[in-house]
Amino acid sequence: MKRPLVIAAMAMIWGIVLSDVSISHLWGIMLVILSLLVLIFFYWPMKNISSSFVLLAIPFLVIGYVVHSYNKFRFENVFLSGIDDEITVTGRITDDPQPEKGKTVFTLKADKINDTRVDKNALLRVSVYDEDLAETLKYGSFIRINGRIKIPQGRRNIGGFDYKKYLAARNISGTMSISEESLLILEDREAFWPKQAGYTARRHIIKGLQKCLSPEEASVMAGMLIGYTSDMPDEMEENFRRAGLSHVLAVSGANIAFLLFPLLWFLQLLGLSRKLASAISFPVLLLYIFAAGMEASVVRAAIMAGIMLAGNIFWRKNDIYCSLALSAIIILLYNSFMLFDIGFLLSFAATISLAVFSKPVSDRIPEKIPKSIKEVVSSTIAAQIGVLPIIAYNFNTISTVSLISNLLVVPLTGLITIMGALIAVTGNLFLPAGIILGRIAGLFLKVFFLLTNGLSSIPWAEIRTVTPPLTLIAMYYLFLIYIRFFHERIEKSVSRPLLAGIIVLIGTSSIIAGTPEKNLRIYFADVGQGDCILIRTPKGKNIIIDGGGDLRDEKSSYAGDRIVVPLLYDFNMTKIDLMIASHGHADHINGLKSVIEKVRVEKLAIADADDPGLMELVSQARQKKVPVERFDEGDLLFDDGEVMLETIYPLEEKELMPDGNKESANELSMVVKLKFGEFSALFTGDIGEDTERLIINDGAMLRCDLLKVAHHGSKYSSGEEFLKHALPSLAVISVGQNRYGHPSPEAMERIKSNGALCYQTLENGGIMVKINRGGRHMAVTTAINNH
């Protein structure tokens, strides 16, 4: 191995992974020792023919483990002393405050908590409920704030987004949400001048673009130049994603190359030597890093560009694999949590894949194809090979038009990026020239938009895929390594059957991964203050009861788009056989609108009651040609031969039902009973005690093993009489942070006094209940505080 840095980087990454998955230091140390023994076992017999650089893996594996273990401890404990009470934090703003949906968001380096000094690396993500403050607050300002620190939690749903690691990758250990009145701006200010210069350049770049381009054009140009997409319409960002062009809006090596190479050319044109031009370009590169926000892809590309410039200065030839390895080592030594950042993963996967596969792919394209087209096609295919599993795992989408869109659009990006840089400069220094350049660039951008919007509008432009298991992703990358580096070096008599065996193994694993489990799964998703229950039967049929949501949802639902739909693909629920909307309140149905938009739904079931809140959902379902059926007492909702769902409420006697125009929609909630062998579950929506008495007086069979507690644990639900009729052994409350006092101590006491074990999504995150065949045993797993 002639690339010791590659060995060091791989070993360091493995050490970080071992530390991250270890449940204790004892287990971690045992895994480290086991890894070192395996390394020595394979190295020792081949030490005479192997490079001694392999032994670099030993110290770097230990370094990776120790560094990440320290970082885990630090991030988890830096603010523990200040989380219980209202506190005062004094500190300095370390980034450029940004407006964000009615709030101003920034990072605060805490110096003191209640006049007590804290860790020098104690960073807080602060949200102030005043968007206009973004103009007042500045990078480097000292402020004093009052509030409560929250320690970010990890995954709140099984397989869901890990907010704690997301913040840790940005060195942030806690969060605070405060009002404007709780913030005091102090007179002092302290800023690192290169960073200050970068933020100033960023503001001037955005301002220069906005002066010379239309808002839509300026937002895209800002994304291409510095990765700034905050001003971009959501619909446009979605079009770029569907067309497989999101990478155009993320700063990478290509963006730096488009800006750095013209700068080097210009400096040499002025008569400077290559060495001096490279030296002058270093501070420009540093300025650009800060202007582009210091995201993982920017830092990786900048380090590699810095290595190239250093090579120019010292007349050393660059090696892309060593450059990538050194970039990874520097970034991970700075913050080992960056390994789990999606930007880091995509950036390195794409660049490594380009280096490994671009030439082999290009060599297989016919010679008669023009070189420029070959380069775009080969680089697009090579990059997609590397990032495909990462995109499928994190976003559950694959763009089918990516090759076509890159072939048509990428040739324009270099020219547009260079023109954007010129517009940003002239827009601030000489506006007439900027406007002229803006009009010329606008012509190219119109073609750009036309191609992007046209390709993204194709119905099959994007396909959705289930979340692939990590084992399958590992097998995929091992297969790529085998194909690229080993297959052609092995004799055909061996390589062909070996390749066939590997393909069969991967195919079999894929089939097994997609095969439904033989038990019944009921998952109570953590959607905040709302309800969402996902049910997957042993025969692979999928049912969803409610979908969470919020009154503030407008065109889309955060809970639906960011939580429920990804969960469906995590659980291999690519089609909904039955959707049940219990009643028309936003915290139950807004997320269902996202599901109807993005997942195939066979049937929507609603209560046969006068609930006007359901009309918008019903209208959307009919537009999507989803059959809508109304159900009341005794109606069979679903039956696949093993699992049956029956309606308990609303009552068949409509004269006994509450008036939907006078009573809350809570009292019109559809109540459903599920049966599976000896097991039964009761889902109660948001009904209150009055409705519970109606159901009891109607003679409904309420006895169940599992109870979905009504109305998020309200004290006006789950009455004593109702619980005595239901007698559940397990109760689940879907609840989030709220101002209503849910779950109430009274309801909790009644549930526990009736002998039920009680879980709640606020404390436990997502809750999975698995029921074995015959329905004789329940097993509970939670996303937080696993039982």
Side-chain angles (χ1 to χ4, degrees), residues 532-770:
C532 177
I533 302 112
L534 308 178
I535 302 170
R536 186 162 171 84
T537 75
K539 290 187 175 180
K541 299 296 183 182
N542 304 313
I543 302 163
I544 180 171
I545 303 176
D546 292 338
D550 193 282
L551 279 170
R552 293 167 292 185
D553 292 337
E554 294 177 1
K555 289 184 178 180
S556 60
S557 162
Y558 178 90
D561 291 341
R562 302 291 184 90
I563 301 174
V564 181
V565 171
L567 275 173
L568 292 174
Y569 286 100
D570 284 345
F571 295 156
N572 200 15
M573 299 172 70
T574 56
K575 181 188 75 169
I576 300 298
D577 297 282
L578 175 64
M579 172 185 283
I580 299 173
S582 66
H583 63 293
H585 280 171
D587 59 331
H588 290 253
I589 65 165
N590 277 7
L592 294 179
K593 298 172 186 177
S594 298
V595 176
I596 288 176
E597 283 295 325
K598 298 182 178 181
V599 182
R600 181 181 162 195
V601 178
E602 294 294 316
K603 182 168 70 174
L604 170 63
I606 62 173
D608 187 12
D610 184 17
D611 186 350
L614 287 168
M615 290 305 100
E616 187 177 339
L617 178 67
V618 169
S619 175
Q620 183 189 13
R622 286 174 176 157
Q623 285 177 4
K624 289 285 184 179
K625 296 183 170 42
V626 177
V628 181
E629 295 184 31
R630 293 179 174 272
F631 293 83
D632 58 20
E633 175 190 3
D635 289 341
L636 188 65
L637 283 155
F638 176 87
D639 188 353
D640 69 354
E642 287 188 302
V643 176
M644 183 182 75
L645 270 75
E646 179 186 7
T647 310
I648 300 293
Y649 182 86
L651 301 179
E652 197 172 14
E653 301 86 358
K654 298 304 175 190
E655 67 275 7
L656 299 177
M657 290 292 297
D659 186 342
N661 294 315
K662 296 179 181 178
E663 300 288 337
S664 166
N666 291 339
E667 306 307 331
L668 303 174
S669 296
M670 185 189 295
V671 178
V672 175
K673 188 169 189 179
L674 178 149
K675 296 177 183 177
F676 173 60
E678 297 179 16
F679 170 83
S680 63
L682 196 61
F683 304 98
T684 55
D686 276 357
I687 61 171
E689 287 189 83
D690 289 343
T691 301
E692 290 173 358
R693 282 190 286 271
L694 270 179
I695 295 171
I696 292 168
N697 294 337
D698 194 59
M701 294 295 294
L702 299 178
R703 187 71 179 266
C704 62
D705 301 289
L706 168 63
L707 173 67
K708 198 293 292 185
V709 175
H711 203 184
H712 322 293
S714 165
K715 68 179 179 180
Y716 303 111
S717 300
S718 306
E720 191 70 41
E721 188 180 3
F722 185 83
L723 291 170
K724 287 188 182 301
H725 278 79
L727 279 179
S729 55
L730 177 66
V732 175
I733 303 174
S734 290
V735 63
Q737 296 284 353
N738 65 87
R739 64 178 187 274
Y740 309 109
H742 299 161
S744 72
E746 299 93 328
M748 293 288 290
E749 179 59 33
R750 291 195 295 265
I751 291 165
K752 291 176 181 178
S753 65
N754 274 275
L757 180 63
C758 189
Y759 290 83
Q760 51 175 295
T761 54
L762 182 60
E763 291 185 354
N764 304 113
I767 300 159
M768 174 69 79
V769 183
K770 293 185 179 181

Side-chain angles (χ1 to χ4, degrees), residues 118-177:
V118 295
D119 188 302
K120 64 179 182 179
N121 294 314
L123 295 183
L124 283 167
R125 169 66 60 84
V126 180
S127 299
V128 186
Y129 290 99
D130 184 349
E131 193 172 279
D132 296 333
L133 268 177
E135 294 295 323
T136 306
L137 296 171
K138 303 295 181 185
Y139 160 64
S141 297
F142 278 88
I143 62 171
R144 183 176 295 128
I145 56 176
N146 298 310
R148 294 178 185 271
I149 293 177
K150 291 183 181 178
I151 303 300
Q153 294 179 315
R155 288 186 172 90
R156 293 211 49 95
N157 281 290
I158 295 173
F161 177 66
D162 195 328
Y163 187 55
K164 183 177 182 179
K165 277 186 178 172
Y166 170 82
L167 290 180
R170 287 145 183 82
N171 277 318
I172 295 169
S173 306
T175 63
M176 287 184 75
S177 296

Side-chain angles (χ1 to χ4, degrees), residues 334-356:
Y334 172 70
N335 185 352
S336 57
F337 278 101
M338 290 293 288
L339 180 62
F340 309 100
D341 182 75
I342 184 64
F344 178 95
L345 294 173
L346 287 173
S347 177
F348 276 88
T351 309
I352 292 169
S353 194
L354 279 167
V356 172

